[in-house]
């Protein structure tokens, strides 16, 4: 009974005179809101509550004597009906469909009393029954299938016969499951004393045929009951548990139809969690009474005992309700005949001879959590809880039970799931009071798992408390066992591992500063470093590893992508002193590292003494930067140079100085180090060859040669020979070498002279004997230089002869030029009478008034001045001037016009002074007019305007000049109006 007084099951009268005068009700079946009633006069009454109509079917027609409906069956969809008629005329079984008017007798079943029908719930449709199993009174099983459209059965097959103990089949149930290689059938059948189970793959005929070769699986219970029943509870079209109304009690259990799909035949025992409800529990001390009928709901059995229905909880086996029926006076004697259920509609029915009662279910699972809880079946209780408060009650009972049995860790897990029944403080006090720190820690951890992410404040506080409990536990373990640190299998090690996992899970919710202070106060340095790495506080981690001397681990941390590059520079001095090789290898493997910022660390390392055969790690890294990374930082190059300079072997230094790092770059420097610093350093370290190279590189050749002479004369000669563009400097350098060579010779005088003469030959003629004579002593005999002096004199004689030859050639060339000039003075051109001016197209020799006195020209005779070019073109002087000024550029045109203007002014004054007379002096002397005319000739007549560059440049000029725009516009064709158009017809 519900605490609020609301019953789980209620009874309502559905139909008082349901048989409609066709006798009394003998049997009943229901499915999908359809009720079928069998009567004592051979009628089947069909009530369809979904459509609201009813149909009466007479199955006694044509049969003599009294006829009664023995059993009636309807499928879960309410469309297919099977009924068995028993009377003096024998036994017949009929099939009818909801759409049929006339039922069909199943002749193959004549004489067989059908007690049970098993429908294929998963495959049956309104149009087809698919396979249906019929159980008979003589212990036989038959298969039948009917398609509604055929108006008859498709087939009726015999399946099985009970041989060992022939009994009537009283009830049947069937379930199917689709698998990869077909369909598996599960069939359960009951007789008055046994429960049989069949299973197999294929067709029903194949499944039952397999039992010819193997034993049938059955369960036999003592006692006998005339109305043995088998019921499946259907949930979501699948049977989940069963109940058998047997002579010994109600045998029930769960069904698992998917457990044995693998084998062809499987295990017939697909029942689990079996139990037997003894009838003695129903009588409350009185003599046990067997129920006359039964129905099964999800959690309850409905048992018909007398005229009452007792509702028994399937789990607790307690009677929760008794249902009473309002019987009519004529029905009291027989009472309630039986119960049936409509699995599709979720309803139950009871019936007597005249009336039908409906038993409704009102949320039967609402108190099941409490039923399970009272039985200490906590999983079932939780699965049936409807709200958080109910779940809290289940968890509380579990927690209190575990706490009472001193299973504190398990109790903590259950307490952590409680949200309403107990407060956080009450639960924690329980564990603190009994001193169970470990259980308290477990409670806090489980509580963290159950808290919502929005409870950030509470999560942080609980996480911090759990951290302190972990640290306390670790310290207590250390105090109990000093060897726990080195014992890998100890509880200490497992707690450390668990604590680190906890830090990893809670790193985002723990307060960083508080947690680090806690770890530090408990002296847990390793865990402090671990947590710092989780929080990406890499500086603390690296510092710890350096303190421990574990440079490799520190470098591994620094190489992580998330670590700021500045930490590399900060810890570089300590790391390189700790492990130079690993540090440099790490630097070379790290991208985007600025070597300049590592210079302090490298200088610290370089200041320490190193063994001769030891690889200098800083030099290795700097070489990597310079040669592989092409670093151009002067500081890096200067440091590498200083390290080279301090080495005993100067070969690496010289190679570095000779290397051109800027090679391939336009206008780039050949080196990036500071040459003045390099020179000071090399002088300080006495690396003279390097100094010579630096002097030479700085174009200080005299200093380079002077220093090289102190080291190696050959080096000095090579330096002197490098100068190529300054012959005087080159000679000066060689003289320095020569002087040094002569002054350094200590042998006999004649031997010294011979070596000096040999040295002259090495200069390739740059030095002569007379250049080096001043370097010899004054008392040297001339005989020692006789050969060299004679050779020098011969060279001078050859030079003199060459000069004479060049002078003769020059004189001859001057004579030829004078002859050419004389010839040019006599050159002339023949002008035809009809020759035209190339510009104005008038005849050259025609006298015209406008040409008689051209400006700046003296007219001789009646002809105007003109120009004739070697190509044959001729122009009047005035026309040529006009053409050239028009076609040349503006500056040149102004220059020509200015010369013409000056000629005009000077010519007018000359005529005025001489009154038009010419004197011999005026003709023979070179006057300013002649100079101007010569300049004008050069400007306009240096080349033919039609054959020279002037004509070529005109190719790029526009055909139409800007000043000709109006003329061009006059040629445009403008459209005229339509009215003024004229049509000009042309004769064909």
């Amino acid at each position: 009974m519900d605490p609020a007084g609301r019953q789980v099951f209620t009874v309502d009268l559905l139909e008082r005179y349901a048989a409609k005068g066709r006798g009394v009700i003998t049997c009943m079946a229901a499915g999908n809101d359809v009720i079928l009633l069998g009567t004592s006069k051979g009628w089947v009454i069909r009530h369809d509550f979904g459509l609201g109509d009813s149909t009466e079917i007479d199955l006694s027609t044509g049969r003599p004597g009294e006829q009664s409906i023995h059993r009636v069956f309807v499928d879960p969809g309410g469309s297919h009906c099977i009924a068995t008629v028993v009377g003096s005329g024998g036994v017949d079984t009929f099939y009818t469909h909801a759409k049929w008017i006339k039922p069909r007798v199943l002749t193959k079943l004549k004489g067989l009393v059908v007690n049970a029908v098993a429908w294929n719930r998963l495959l049956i449709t309104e149009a087809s029954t698919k396979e249906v199993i019929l159980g008979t009174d003589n212990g036989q099983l038959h298969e039948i299938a009917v398609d509604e459209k055929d108006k008859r059965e498709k087939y009726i097959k015999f399946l099985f016969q009970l041989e060992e103990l022939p009994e009537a089949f009283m009830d049947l149930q069937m379930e199917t499951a689709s698998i990869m290689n077909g369909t598996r059938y599960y069939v359960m059948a009951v007789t008055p004393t046994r429960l049989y189970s069949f299973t197999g793959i294929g067709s029903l005929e194949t499944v039952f045929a397999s039992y010819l070769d193997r034993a049938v699986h059955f369960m036999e219970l003592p006692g006998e009951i005339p109305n043995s029943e088998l019921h499946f509870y259907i949930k979501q079209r699948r049977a989940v548990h069963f109940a058998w109304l047997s002579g010994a009690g109600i045998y029930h259990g769960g069904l698992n139809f998917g457990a044995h799909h693998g084998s062809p035949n499987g295990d017939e025992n697909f029942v689990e969690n079996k139990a037997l409800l003894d009838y003695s529990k129903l009588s409350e001390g009185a003599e046990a009474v067997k129920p006359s009928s039964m129905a099964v709901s999800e959690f309850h059995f409905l048992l018909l005992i007398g005229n009452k229905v007792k509702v028994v909880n399937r789990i607790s086996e307690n009677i929760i309700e008794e249902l009473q029926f309002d019987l009519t006076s004529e029905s009291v004697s027989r009472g309630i005949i039986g119960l049936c259920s409509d699995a599709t509609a979720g309803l139950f029915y009871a019936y007597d001879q005249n009336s039908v009662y409906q038993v409704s279910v009102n949320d039967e699972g609402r108190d099941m959590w409490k039923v399970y809880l009272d039985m200490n079946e906590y999983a079932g209780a939780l699965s049936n809880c409807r709200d958080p408060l109910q779940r809290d009650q289940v968890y509380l009972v579990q927690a209190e039970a575990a706490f009472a049995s001193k299973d504190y860790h398990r109790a903590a897990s259950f307490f952590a799931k409680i949200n309403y029944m107990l407060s956080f403080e009450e639960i924690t006090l329980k564990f603190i009071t009994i001193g169970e720190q470990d259980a308290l820690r477990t409670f806090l951890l489980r509580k963290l798992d159950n808290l919502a992410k929005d409870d950030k404040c509470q999560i942080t506080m609980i996480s911090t408390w759990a951290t302190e409990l972990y640290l306390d536990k670790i310290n207590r373990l250390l105090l109990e066992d000093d060897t726990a640190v080195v014992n890998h299998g100890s509880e200490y090690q497992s707690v450390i591992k668990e604590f680190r996992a906890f830090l990893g899970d809670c790193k985002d919710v723990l307060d960083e500063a508080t947690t680090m202070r806690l770890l530090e106060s408990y002296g847990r340095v390793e865990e402090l470093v671990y947590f710092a790495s989780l929080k990406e506080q890499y500086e603390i981690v690296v510092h710890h590893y350096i303190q421990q001397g574990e440079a490799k681990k520190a470098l591994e941390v620094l190489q992580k992508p998330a670590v700021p590059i500045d930490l590399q520079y900060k810890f570089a001095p300590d790391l390189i002193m700790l492990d130079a090789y690993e540090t440099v290898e790490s630097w070379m493997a790290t991208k985007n590292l600025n070597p300049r910022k590592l210079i302090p660390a490298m200088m610290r390392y370089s200041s320490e003494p190193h063994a001769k055969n030891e690889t200098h790690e800083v030099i290795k890294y700097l070489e990597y930067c310079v040669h592989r990374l092409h670093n151009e930082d002067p500081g890096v190059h200067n440091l590498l140079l200083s390290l080279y300079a301090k080495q005993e072997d100067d070969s690496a230094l010289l190679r570095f100085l000779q290397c051109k790092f800027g090679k391939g770059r336009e206008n780039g420097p050949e080196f990036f180090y500071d040459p003045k610093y390099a020179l000071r350093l090399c002088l300080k370290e006495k690396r003279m060859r390097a100094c010579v190279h630096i002097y030479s590189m700085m174009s200080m050749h005299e200093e380079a040669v002077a220093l090289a002479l102190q080291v190696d004369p050959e080096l000095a000669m090579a330096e002197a020979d490098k100068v190529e563009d300054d012959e005087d400097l080159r000679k000066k350098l060689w003289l320095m070498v020569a002087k040094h060579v002569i002054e350094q010779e200590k042998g006999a005088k004649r031997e010294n002279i011979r070596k000096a003469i040999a040295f002259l030959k090495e200069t390739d003629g740059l030095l002569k004997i007379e250049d080096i004579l001043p370097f010899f002593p004054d008392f040297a005999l001339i005989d020692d230089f006789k050969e060299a002096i004679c050779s020098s004199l011969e060279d001078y004689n050859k030079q003199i002869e060459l000069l004479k030859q060049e002078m003769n050639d020059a004189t001859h060339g001057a004579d030829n030029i004078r002859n050419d000039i004389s010839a040019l003075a006599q050159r002339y051109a023949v002008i035809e009478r009809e020759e035209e001016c190339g510009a104005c197209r008038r005849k050259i020799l025609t006298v015209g008034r406008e040409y008689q006195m051209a400006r700046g020209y003296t007219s001789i005779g009646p002809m105007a001045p003109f120009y004739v070019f070697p190509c044959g073109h001729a122009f009047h002087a005035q026309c040529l001037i006009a053409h050239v000024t028009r076609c040349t550029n503006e500056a040149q045109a102004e220059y020509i016009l200015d010369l013409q203007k000056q000629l005009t002014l000077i010519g007018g004054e000359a005529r005025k002074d001489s009154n038009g007379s010419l004197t011999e002096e005026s003709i023979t002397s070179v006057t300013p007019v002649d100079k101007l005319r010569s300049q004008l000739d050069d400007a306009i007549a240096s080349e033919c305007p039609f054959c020279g560059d002037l004509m070529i440049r005109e190719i790029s000029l526009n055909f139409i000049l800007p000043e000709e725009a109006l003329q061009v516009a006059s040629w445009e064709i403008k459209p005229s109006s339509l009215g003024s158009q004229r049509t000009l017809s042309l004769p064909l």
Side-chain angles (χ1 to χ4, degrees):
M1 185 76 67
D2 184 80
R6 189 161 46 105
Q7 284 191 316
V8 178
F9 291 88
T10 56
V11 177
D12 297 296
L13 176 65
L14 187 64
E15 189 81 24
R16 176 62 76 182
Y17 297 102
K20 296 187 176 182
R22 303 296 184 181
V24 295
I25 300 172
T26 59
C27 55
M28 179 179 174
N32 196 24
D33 271 343
V34 174
I35 292 178
L36 291 174
L37 301 174
T39 71
S40 59
K41 293 184 178 181
W43 286 76
V44 173
I45 313 299
R46 186 177 190 274
H47 294 277
D48 189 338
F49 296 105
L51 298 177
D53 64 354
S54 62
T55 308
E56 301 175 17
I57 305 168
D58 185 6
L59 301 182
S60 65
T61 305
R63 293 170 59 86
E66 289 289 328
Q67 308 294 326
S68 176
I69 303 298
H70 172 65
R71 295 292 298 272
V72 65
F73 309 95
V74 67
D75 77 293
S79 299
H80 309 279
C81 170
I82 295 175
T84 300
V85 181
V86 178
S88 58
V91 180
D92 282 306
T93 301
F94 292 85
Y95 169 84
T96 185
H97 192 275
K99 295 181 179 179
W100 292 4
I101 298 174
K102 184 179 179 181
R104 178 172 177 79
V105 63
L106 304 176
T107 55
K108 286 189 178 183
L109 299 176
K110 187 171 181 63
L112 298 176
V113 178
V114 177
N115 289 334
V117 172
W119 307 95
N120 189 339
R121 277 182 295 271
L122 292 180
L123 299 180
I124 194 170
T125 62
E126 184 182 0
S128 175
T129 63
K130 300 302 179 182
E131 54 268 37
V132 181
I133 304 175
L134 307 180
T136 66
D137 199 44
N138 63 350
Q140 291 182 355
L141 295 177
H142 296 264
E143 180 186 353
I144 183 176
V146 182
D147 284 347
E148 186 272 332
K149 64 179 181 180
D150 296 337
K151 306 301 180 184
R152 56 168 295 158
E153 68 274 16
K154 291 177 66 177
Y155 59 81
I156 298 177
K157 298 176 183 178
F158 170 78
L159 293 177
F160 185 76
Q161 171 76 54
L162 284 175
E163 300 289 351
E164 181 192 353
L165 180 63
E167 288 184 304
F169 279 114
M170 301 302 294
D171 216 341
L172 279 173
Q173 295 289 345
M174 175 171 58
E175 192 73 24
T176 58
S178 297
I179 57 176
M180 291 182 62
N181 52 347
T183 303
R184 176 176 284 280
Y185 291 90
Y186 302 90
V187 180
M188 294 182 76
V190 294
T191 66
T193 59
R194 288 183 177 182
L195 168 64
Y196 292 91
S197 58
F198 307 88
T199 183
I201 300 173
S203 64
L204 281 172
E205 193 173 18
T206 305
V207 171
F208 282 97
S210 68
Y211 285 96
L212 296 174
D213 303 324
R214 61 187 175 122
V216 180
H217 188 276
F218 65 89
M219 165 65 72
E220 186 173 4
L221 293 176
E224 189 172 334
I225 190 167
N227 55 325
S228 178
E229 295 180 15
L230 177 66
H231 295 275
F232 277 6
Y233 174 71
I234 311 300
K235 188 174 184 178
Q236 297 177 347
R237 299 187 66 191
R238 175 66 71 182
V240 292
H241 60 258
F242 78 98
W244 171 32
L245 184 64
S246 70
I250 298 173
Y251 181 70
H252 61 97
L255 297 172
N256 186 356
F257 297 116
H260 309 287
H261 284 172
S263 60
N265 297 319
D267 184 356
E268 285 80 358
N269 190 15
F270 41 81
V271 177
E272 54 190 19
N273 301 323
K274 294 168 282 188
L276 180 66
L277 173 61
D278 195 283
Y279 294 135
S280 62
K281 294 185 178 181
L282 308 177
S283 57
E284 298 178 354
E287 185 181 351
V289 179
K290 297 179 182 179
S292 58
S293 186
M294 179 179 71
V296 179
S297 70
E298 184 175 6
F299 297 108
H300 299 89
F301 299 133
L302 282 73
L303 304 176
L304 178 61
I305 300 175
N307 288 331
K308 296 180 180 179
V309 171
K310 292 188 177 183
V311 180
V312 180
N313 189 287
R314 180 170 57 85
I315 306 301
S316 65
E317 298 184 348
N318 294 326
I319 299 172
I320 66 163
E321 292 176 356
E322 285 190 4
L323 306 180
Q324 305 283 345
F325 298 93
D326 182 16
L327 299 176
T328 60
S329 57
E330 60 266 26
S331 301
V332 171
S333 59
R334 177 73 191 273
I336 300 296
I337 298 172
L339 301 174
C340 72
S341 61
D342 183 349
T344 307
L347 295 172
F348 301 94
Y349 300 96
Y351 61 96
D352 59 20
Q353 290 181 340
N354 296 308
S355 306
V356 177
Y357 303 89
Q358 178 177 300
V359 180
S360 303
V361 185
N362 183 19
D363 191 13
E364 64 173 320
R366 62 178 180 262
D367 292 326
M368 286 307 299
W369 69 273
K370 195 163 181 45
V371 172
Y372 279 109
L373 184 60
D374 293 339
M375 299 175 63
N376 294 330
E377 293 186 15
Y378 304 116
L382 286 171
S383 64
N384 285 278
C385 287
R386 303 290 181 85
D387 55 55
L389 195 59
Q390 291 177 359
R391 280 192 291 273
D392 270 13
Q393 293 183 56
V394 177
Y395 291 137
L396 180 59
V397 172
Q398 286 180 282
E400 294 289 0
F403 197 87
S405 62
K406 297 186 178 181
D407 188 354
Y408 297 117
H409 285 279
R410 190 162 176 269
S413 298
F414 290 126
F415 275 127
K417 296 178 182 179
I418 297 174
N419 295 315
Y420 305 101
M421 298 292 293
L422 287 178
S423 67
F424 177 81
E425 292 78 6
E426 288 176 306
I427 298 171
T428 53
L429 280 173
K430 279 178 176 287
F431 294 109
I432 293 172
T433 303
I434 60 173
E436 277 294 328
Q437 300 283 0
D438 293 345
L440 176 59
R441 187 179 72 250
T442 302
F443 167 71
L444 295 178
L445 294 177
R446 298 297 171 268
K447 194 67 178 177
L448 282 175
D449 295 337
N450 297 330
L451 284 175
K453 292 182 179 179
D454 297 336
D455 299 333
K456 294 182 180 179
C457 184
Q458 192 171 3
I459 289 173
T460 300
M461 292 174 64
I462 294 175
S463 301
T464 306
W465 192 2
T467 302
E468 190 165 11
L469 290 175
Y470 266 119
L471 293 170
D472 180 66
K473 174 68 173 177
I474 292 168
N475 276 6
R476 282 190 284 111
L477 290 173
L478 282 175
L479 291 172
E480 292 170 6
D481 185 5
D482 294 337
T483 63
V485 178
V486 295
N487 186 1
H488 294 290
S490 64
E491 183 185 359
Y492 169 82
Q493 294 293 344
S494 64
V495 173
I496 288 289
K497 187 176 180 180
E498 183 184 334
F499 180 44
R500 291 195 174 196
F502 166 77
L503 290 176
D505 294 337
C506 298
K507 63 181 175 66
D508 295 327
V509 297
L510 283 167
D511 180 70
E512 184 178 319
T514 304
T515 306
M516 286 191 172
R517 280 198 301 271
L518 269 176
L519 292 168
E520 189 177 0
S521 65
Y522 277 84
R524 301 305 305 173
V525 179
E526 293 288 338
E527 285 67 40
L528 174 63
V529 171
Y530 177 75
F531 183 71
S533 64
L534 291 175
K535 298 298 288 183
E536 297 184 353
Q537 292 290 341
Y538 299 110
E539 186 171 350
I540 297 173
V541 180
V542 175
H543 184 266
H544 169 73
Y545 285 136
I546 291 175
Q547 292 293 103
Q548 297 296 318
E550 296 178 347
K552 197 166 185 178
K553 289 186 178 180
L555 291 167
E556 288 174 358
V557 174
L558 290 173
Q559 284 182 327
K560 291 181 180 180
V563 178
I565 199 71
D566 290 339
L567 291 185
Q568 287 272 15
Y569 308 131
K570 181 174 182 177
F571 291 106
D574 294 327
L575 286 170
I576 198 168
M577 297 305 296
L578 194 60
D579 191 336
Y581 173 79
E582 290 294 343
T583 303
V584 168
E585 290 296 320
S586 173
W587 289 352
M588 289 193 291
T590 305
K591 295 180 180 179
N592 304 324
L593 205 59
N594 186 357
R596 184 182 185 87
K597 295 185 178 181
L598 297 173
I599 288 177
M602 291 188 282
M603 293 184 68
R604 179 180 176 185
Y605 172 80
S606 303
S607 64
E608 298 292 327
H610 301 283
K612 291 184 179 180
N613 56 351
E614 180 184 353
T615 302
H616 201 293
E617 296 299 331
V618 169
I619 291 179
K620 181 175 77 173
Y621 176 67
L622 291 173
E623 288 175 342
Y624 172 80
C625 294
V626 169
H627 298 294
R628 295 284 298 278
L629 301 181
H630 306 292
N631 186 280
E632 299 177 359
D633 194 308
V636 173
H637 285 252
N638 288 340
L639 179 58
L640 179 56
L641 188 143
S642 68
L643 296 177
Y644 279 144
K646 293 176 182 179
Q647 291 183 327
E648 293 184 3
D649 185 5
D650 63 352
S651 57
L653 174 61
L654 292 173
R655 284 196 303 272
F656 177 76
L657 292 173
Q658 292 166 2
C659 188
K660 296 182 179 180
F661 297 102
K663 186 178 180 182
R665 288 175 40 184
E666 291 186 10
N667 303 321
E670 292 185 355
F671 53 86
F672 299 103
Y673 53 85
D674 183 356
K676 295 179 180 178
Y677 168 76
L679 183 61
R680 287 196 306 272
L681 187 66
C682 292
L683 288 172
K684 178 183 176 182
E685 299 293 337
K686 295 185 169 44
R687 304 297 178 200
M688 298 307 174
R689 289 182 177 272
C691 293
V692 170
H693 179 83
I694 296 170
Y695 275 131
S696 176
M697 187 176 57
M698 296 171 68
S699 298
M700 299 173 68
H701 300 288
E702 292 185 42
E703 290 83 353
V705 171
L707 187 59
L709 290 174
Q710 300 177 22
V711 180
D712 184 5
E714 294 294 332
L715 179 61
M717 293 180 191
E719 289 298 325
D721 216 25
K722 287 181 181 179
V723 180
E724 295 179 353
D725 52 352
D726 190 342
E727 197 70 22
D728 293 336
L729 177 59
R730 188 162 179 261
K731 184 174 181 179
K732 182 178 180 181
L733 297 177
W734 274 106
L735 284 173
M736 292 172 62
V737 177
K739 181 179 180 181
H740 178 80
V741 170
I742 294 170
E743 290 178 350
Q744 291 297 317
E745 292 298 338
K746 303 297 183 182
K749 293 180 181 179
R750 290 185 179 275
E751 184 67 24
N752 293 347
I753 293 171
R754 279 196 294 271
K755 289 183 178 181
I757 300 303
F759 174 77
L760 288 177
K761 295 178 180 178
E762 293 182 16
T763 64
D764 294 329
L766 182 64
L767 298 183
K768 304 294 183 182
I769 186 64
E770 60 270 25
D771 296 325
I772 66 171
L773 281 177
F775 303 142
F776 286 96
D778 295 338
F779 49 81
L781 295 175
I782 194 65
D783 294 343
D784 298 330
F785 302 99
K786 181 178 180 181
E787 184 179 349
I789 292 173
C790 290
S791 175
S792 180
L793 290 174
E794 289 175 0
D795 290 340
Y796 281 126
N797 285 334
K798 290 178 182 178
Q799 292 178 14
I800 289 170
E801 291 298 326
L802 286 173
L803 288 172
K804 284 183 179 180
Q805 183 64 35
E806 290 174 1
M807 290 172 64
N808 291 335
D809 293 341
T811 302
H812 183 67
D815 292 340
N816 291 336
I817 291 170
R818 280 194 292 273
N819 293 334
D820 290 341
I821 291 172
S822 300
L824 285 171
Q826 302 299 321
R827 188 178 179 185
Y828 63 92
V830 178
I831 301 296
E832 298 290 339
R833 181 185 296 275
E834 302 299 325
E835 184 76 29
E836 294 179 350
C837 172
C840 67
R841 313 309 297 171
R842 297 181 182 180
K843 293 181 180 179
I844 290 293
L845 303 180
T846 300
V847 179
R849 185 67 184 169
E850 63 273 20
Y851 295 115
Q852 285 185 2
M853 292 299 289
R855 290 183 297 173
Y857 290 91
T858 302
S859 180
I860 301 175
M863 291 182 295
F866 61 87
Y867 289 88
V868 179
F869 293 94
C871 60
H873 290 111
F875 299 89
H876 292 115
Q878 194 65 27
C879 294
L880 182 61
I881 292 171
H883 179 76
V884 172
T885 54
R886 185 173 67 254
C887 295
T888 190
N889 58 61
E890 186 177 353
Q892 183 69 10
E894 289 179 358
Y895 173 69
I896 293 170
L897 293 175
D898 184 58
L899 290 176
Q900 188 180 20
K901 183 178 179 180
Q902 293 183 44
L903 280 171
T904 303
L905 293 174
I906 296 174
E909 292 174 359
R911 284 193 298 273
K912 189 183 295 182
D913 294 340
S914 60
N915 294 323
S917 63
L918 295 173
T919 63
E920 183 179 354
E921 183 180 355
S922 65
I923 295 174
T924 58
S925 63
V926 179
T927 64
V929 176
D930 296 330
K931 291 181 180 179
L932 290 171
R933 187 177 292 114
S934 175
Q935 292 176 7
L936 184 62
D937 290 345
D938 291 340
I940 64 172
S942 60
E943 61 179 1
C944 174
F946 286 178
C947 302
D949 292 339
L950 194 64
M951 179 59 72
I952 294 172
R953 285 196 297 271
E954 285 188 3
I955 294 173
S956 61
L957 299 178
N958 294 328
F959 286 110
I960 300 172
L961 299 177
E963 57 267 21
E964 298 174 332
L966 293 175
Q967 187 177 358
V968 172
S970 67
W971 282 85
E972 289 184 2
I973 301 176
K974 299 180 180 178
S976 58
S977 62
L978 295 173
S980 62
Q981 284 184 351
R982 295 181 181 180
T983 303
L984 179 65
S985 59
L986 300 175
L988 298 176

